[in-house]
Amino acid sequence: MNSAMTQTATRQSAVEHAFRLLAKSLDQVGEEKAEVFLAKIVLILANTVNDPVILEDAVRRAVPLPE
Amino acid sequence: MKSNLSKARRLFLDPPYKPGSTAFLHAQPFDTWRLDFALEDGEDAEVELQPQRIEARLDAHLAMMGLSEPRKIIWTSVYRPRSVTLPSYRRGRVFFAGDAAHQTPIFGGRGLNLGFADVINLTWKLAYVLNGQGHDALLDSYDRERRHVVRNALIDLAQSTIFMSRPTRGAALMRDAALQLSPTESFVHDLFDGHRAPKREGISLGGTDDKDPPKGAFTGNPLPDAALQPATGGSGSSVFLYDLLSQDFTGLYFSAQGKVPDSIQRFFAQMKDKAPFRSIVVGQQNETGAHADALDPDGAASKKLEAADGAFILVRPDSYVAGQWDELNSDQIATTLFSNLGRGAP
């Protein structure tokens, strides 16, 4: 595999891992606490990423906002 | 209520007697305490102001804190946090200051301080214009300078205001998330502590905000205070930089040897003739025949003020730095001084 393919595979693996981990965690916390659980995840990731542009881009892609 | 509680301001988020709500406890003078309870959606202010309702809230809160001291309620009212400012703080001969000009939410403790700062900014300008030392244009700078500071304060307090007031469901959810993280994730603390918000006191000394970045580390900002020593005797005693300032503009000249060249002495004399100006010479030592008014033996004050040998700082009567130069530039200094008096060329 070349470098680009390796990176794509690694990213796909990370996304798949996050998908499964979040699905499992959401099942564990239950519907009532799901929203605040996801909000906590976002705050922690925002602190880790430390880049408002990346966060804003993610929010717009997840929930298209009116221009 | 007499209490041994320390005078720190206390913020209670999600108190057990009213989950999801907010309360503040502020120490006031003369054994008085101010307790703010947040009213939630659906709560009627008039109903909540009824004595029995207030007593019940107070009992629950003091019990939560483990306080059982005798207390008496001396004042109740409804407070609504506002972030508002007038579009102009001057209308002809009328000047607006303090709450008449702007209202800030209580979450950062800025309201009273901003009001005092308004008055400090305005009074020397009024005095100068009334006694003929400054021109009317000087009074316009009050509006420009203070609205700039107030606007920045409102921006700086916006985060803690949203956090406290939870104006939407989304804001309430994010607050809950931050609160749940707060015991283990210190990064969320900045979201709700207005006292940790930046305090931008800088002003734009030019005609248009931020178009011409001020030169010098402290230009447009309050002069930092610094400990010095008296130039004559008194070894071990100290005098502070602010003790040396006056109702005039003050020119701080930094000279390692405490000496002032003849040309600069002449310049200082000319400035004194033309404007309310006095010079203060800060020396690291005061050699024979030197002119230091105060000493900075270890150079700590010079370092703090980023003022090396030969540097000059022009300070306004309100302790704001009008300009700062690494070397004394008489033309620029004179222009800056006269500009700060609302006058044209010197």
Side-chain angles (χ1 to χ4, degrees), chain A residues 35-37 39-47, chain B residues 169 173-174 176-178 180-181 185 187-188 191:
Chain A
E35 276 191 335
V36 77
F37 162 74
K40 285 159 70 177
I41 296 277
V42 170
L43 284 174
I44 291 169
L45 288 176
N47 184 53
Chain B
R169 179 179 169 277
L173 174 66
M174 294 309 295
D176 288 346
Q180 289 185 22
L181 288 171
E185 304 286 345
F187 75 86
V188 300
L191 293 173

Side-chain angles (χ1 to χ4, degrees), chain B residues 50-281:
Chain B
Q50 292 171 1
Q52 66 273 22
R53 302 280 289 188
I54 291 173
E55 289 282 357
R57 281 178 186 259
L58 193 53
D59 285 345
H61 192 90
L62 295 180
M64 178 192 72
M65 294 182 68
L67 298 174
S68 55
E69 287 86 343
R71 40 78 174 172
K72 181 176 70 173
I73 296 174
I74 58 174
W75 175 264
T76 58
S77 68
V78 173
Y79 164 78
R80 188 180 300 276
R82 293 181 192 277
S83 296
V84 292
T85 173
L86 287 180
S88 173
Y89 295 175
R90 180 184 186 188
R91 189 173 180 88
R93 293 168 59 84
V94 178
F95 295 86
F96 298 89
D99 283 359
H102 45 76
Q103 291 176 26
T104 55
I106 59 169
F107 309 122
R110 305 279 178 94
L112 182 64
N113 293 312
L114 286 170
F116 277 126
D118 290 343
V119 172
I120 291 168
N121 185 291
L122 178 60
T123 46
W124 72 270
K125 294 173 180 175
L126 279 174
Y128 272 38
V129 172
L130 287 171
N131 66 22
Q133 293 170 303
H135 287 194
D136 186 76
L138 176 60
L139 297 173
D140 286 335
S141 69
Y142 164 72
D143 167 58
R144 185 182 70 245
E145 293 175 1
R146 291 309 301 162
R147 263 195 307 118
H148 179 81
V149 172
V150 168
R151 191 179 61 219
N152 282 340
L154 295 178
I155 292 170
D156 292 342
L157 293 175
Q159 172 57 45
S160 57
T161 304
I162 291 171
F163 198 94
M164 298 305 164
S165 56
R166 297 170 296 146
T168 65
R169 179 179 169 277
L173 174 66
M174 294 309 295
R175 179 176 111 152
D176 288 346
L179 286 178
Q180 289 185 22
L181 288 171
S182 64
T184 54
E185 304 286 345
S186 61
F187 75 86
V188 300
H189 297 173
D190 287 343
L191 293 173
F192 52 83
D193 188 351
H195 284 264
R196 291 165 71 152
K199 290 183 176 64
R200 292 182 285 173
E201 297 179 277
I203 55 176
S204 170
L205 297 170
T208 307
D209 290 359
D210 300 327
K211 263 193 172 174
D212 299 312
K215 297 175 180 64
F218 299 104
T219 301
N221 287 280
L223 178 75
D225 204 359
L228 301 168
Q229 289 184 7
T232 51
S235 177
S237 62
S238 63
V239 59
F240 283 88
L241 196 53
Y242 268 49
D243 297 332
L244 304 174
L245 305 180
S246 73
Q247 59 191 5
D248 295 331
F249 277 74
T250 302
L252 296 170
Y253 182 67
F254 293 80
S255 168
Q257 309 300 321
K259 292 186 174 177
V260 183
D262 290 344
S263 60
I264 293 179
Q265 289 188 54
R266 283 197 297 277
F267 170 67
F268 287 165
Q270 288 171 0
M271 286 296 95
K272 284 175 193 170
D273 286 342
K274 293 179 179 176
F277 173 86
R278 62 194 293 262
S279 58
I280 297 289
V281 179

